[in-house]
Amino acid sequence: MNSGADALGLLPELFLLAGAVIALLAGSFVARDRQWISRGIAVVALTASAVAAALAYASVSFSAAPPAGSMAESMGGSMAGSLSVYDGSYLLDGGTAAGRLIVVVSALLVICLGVDELRGTARESETYALILLASLGAVVLSGAADLLVLAVGFLLASIPLYALIGIGGTKAGAEAALKTYLLGALFGILLLLGVTVLYAVAGTTSYAGLRGGLATAAPAVVGVGLVGVLAGLMFKAGAVPGHFWVPDAAEGAGTAAAAFATTVPKIGGFLAAYRLLEIMPGTVRWPLLIALLSVLTMTLGNLAAYTQTNPRRLLGWSTVSQAGYLLMPVAVAGSVPLALPSLVVFLAGYAVSNLAAFAVIGAYPDRRELRAYEGLAAARPRHAVALAVALLSLVGTPPTAVFLGKLTVFTAAWDGDFWWLTVAAAVNTVISLFYYLRWLAPAFRAASPDSPGAGDFTPQPWAGRTAVAGAVLILVVGIGAGLAWAAVAVPLPG
């Protein structure tokens, strides 16, 4: 591609960047009670990015096969038929298109659920700019096909996130931001160290060149480099061993920031890990490492969630457990055709489900205990139903969005001969149902006299509407994706 075509291929990313800059500048020149202008700019930028991403994927899908010797052809597998820009450093294919769309839709939902919380605050326009910049970083991670681009995407997704978590100015938010920053700095150093090692042994940072260069390198050295890069990506994905910041961010940050931090970074982190592992040589036993991380992550997240009485912190540990399930298709990257589609389906279902649950929290921001939701079904039945749909979707109950995601990632792991991983995930799914019910049961129970905030369910309007819209989207995505999956007759075991 020439430079003009390269820039056109990155049009969705350019819309996000331009939106962030314009929203920040607009917020500097308008009164505080007119900061909705920056919100409108952010929404327009995200919408334009989604449209451009859809058009870009359509043009790639209907284009001719990649030329001989191109990066897309050399990588093969799920990358076949894709196009690359800027000398093969950024890939335009189904994975990138899915990452772009899921990130953009998630960011739009975050802005909607945060309208009540952010309206008229001192840092409203800055918050929208940070959301756009962090979203841009997640998108760059999802399409990176070069180690240097991967490092840039990691930093772009991380630095705005630190500010976003602490922008509310509260003591808990500052503590969460500091913890996230320190862990991000540590795992960022490990990622850069891994990039350095892989470049040293392969002689290139391009994924197309890494495939051949690492195949003849010493497995121990390749393993050291790979572990370093994966450590950084696990921080971004909120998985073991980089998960420590997640529950604190979920509890201490503002509702919109917490919803964003526990959702959007995962999208870029998992897609980036998938792409990197897909080209790793078989001389390193990375599938077993990822499978073990998957079991540790989902088990730790589920067990830690059991003791939580704060709904925000419960969702924080829930997002850690969900990262464990998302690692299952990553463990079979490149060896099972179903791996990438299942990862994308799960990411989409998880994103909308997690954001719908946070929208319920945003509708009632002062309720900091699970018991405080007693009487919700009687007072606000639509919000109670939205909460039930969101939490049951996170469990993987049909016909919600996560159900098909779990079904496909379980199938991908089984097809990749990780039967024990599938069994462990199924057991963890059953375990997770109990702590989600600890939140649902009070919501559908009559309020007791000593219940915190009993009888006072006056919602924040935008967050309440977003919760209901999210629940509808969960069912639409779940039923629609299920019908589409049945139509293409994907074979399932048994």
Side-chain angles (χ1 to χ4, degrees), residues 428-477:
N428 270 279
T429 296
V430 175
I431 293 174
S432 69
L433 175 63
F434 293 97
Y435 65 79
Y436 289 123
L437 287 176
R438 291 184 60 237
W439 188 1
L440 276 179
F444 285 86
R445 188 168 58 220
S448 57
D450 62 339
S451 174
D456 181 21
F457 280 98
T458 302
Q460 298 293 321
W462 273 92
R465 296 186 197 111
T466 305
V468 174
V472 173
L473 190 57
I474 289 169
L475 296 175
V476 169
V477 171

Side-chain angles (χ1 to χ4, degrees), residues 112-436:
C112 289
L113 71 87
V115 170
D116 306 302
E117 176 189 25
L118 300 174
R119 183 191 287 120
T121 59
R123 295 289 180 264
E124 183 178 3
S125 59
E126 289 91 336
T127 300
Y128 300 133
L130 290 171
I131 287 174
L132 289 175
L133 289 174
S135 299
L136 174 60
V139 170
V140 171
L141 280 173
S142 69
D146 187 284
L147 290 176
L148 296 181
V149 177
L150 179 71
V152 170
F154 177 88
L155 293 174
L156 184 56
S158 299
I159 296 174
L161 187 66
Y162 307 148
L164 192 62
I165 292 173
I167 200 169
T170 64
K171 181 179 179 180
E175 180 181 349
L178 180 60
K179 179 175 289 188
T180 306
Y181 166 71
L182 293 175
L183 288 172
L186 171 62
F187 284 97
I189 291 171
L190 291 176
L191 182 141
L192 293 176
L193 176 62
V195 167
T196 303
V197 172
L198 293 179
Y199 170 69
V201 297
T204 181
T205 56
S206 168
Y207 286 8
L210 285 174
R211 179 189 288 273
L214 297 179
T216 57
V221 179
V222 175
V224 170
L226 180 60
V227 167
V229 176
L230 285 177
L233 294 179
M234 291 305 98
F235 163 80
K236 191 55 53 190
V240 173
H243 66 284
F244 298 101
W245 64 276
V246 178
D248 292 282
E251 182 182 16
T255 306
F260 184 93
T262 57
T263 305
V264 175
K266 283 188 182 327
I267 301 166
F270 281 110
L271 288 173
Y274 184 96
R275 289 199 190 282
L276 177 64
L277 292 172
E278 193 176 30
I279 56 93
M280 280 292 117
T283 55
V284 180
R285 295 187 63 188
W286 59 263
L288 179 59
L289 171 64
I290 299 299
L292 291 174
L293 287 178
S294 173
V295 173
L296 286 173
T297 301
M298 66 178 74
T299 304
L300 175 64
N302 284 330
L303 293 180
Y306 258 96
T307 61
Q308 306 306 318
T309 59
N310 185 307
R312 289 169 173 264
R313 200 164 184 87
L314 184 146
L315 282 182
W317 282 111
S318 165
T319 204
V320 173
S321 71
Q322 298 294 330
Y325 304 120
L326 284 162
L327 281 171
M328 295 174 68
V330 178
V332 294
S335 62
V336 175
L338 186 58
L340 183 57
S342 67
L343 176 61
V344 168
V345 170
F346 201 127
L347 280 172
Y350 164 75
V352 66
S353 302
N354 191 60
L355 292 175
F358 266 104
V360 175
I361 291 177
Y364 306 99
D366 296 329
R367 296 179 181 271
R368 296 281 180 162
E369 298 180 28
L370 299 179
R371 286 185 61 242
Y373 285 83
E374 287 183 352
L376 177 63
R380 303 287 174 177
R382 290 190 303 168
H383 296 166
V385 171
L387 178 64
V389 171
L391 296 184
L392 291 178
S393 180
L394 290 173
V395 175
T397 308
T400 59
V402 175
F403 168 69
L404 183 62
K406 280 199 173 181
L407 180 63
T408 53
V409 299
F410 285 14
T411 302
W414 188 280
D415 290 346
D417 294 329
F418 282 112
W419 62 267
W420 55 270
L421 176 58
T422 306
V423 172
V427 172
N428 270 279
T429 296
V430 175
I431 293 174
S432 69
L433 175 63
F434 293 97
Y435 65 79
Y436 289 123

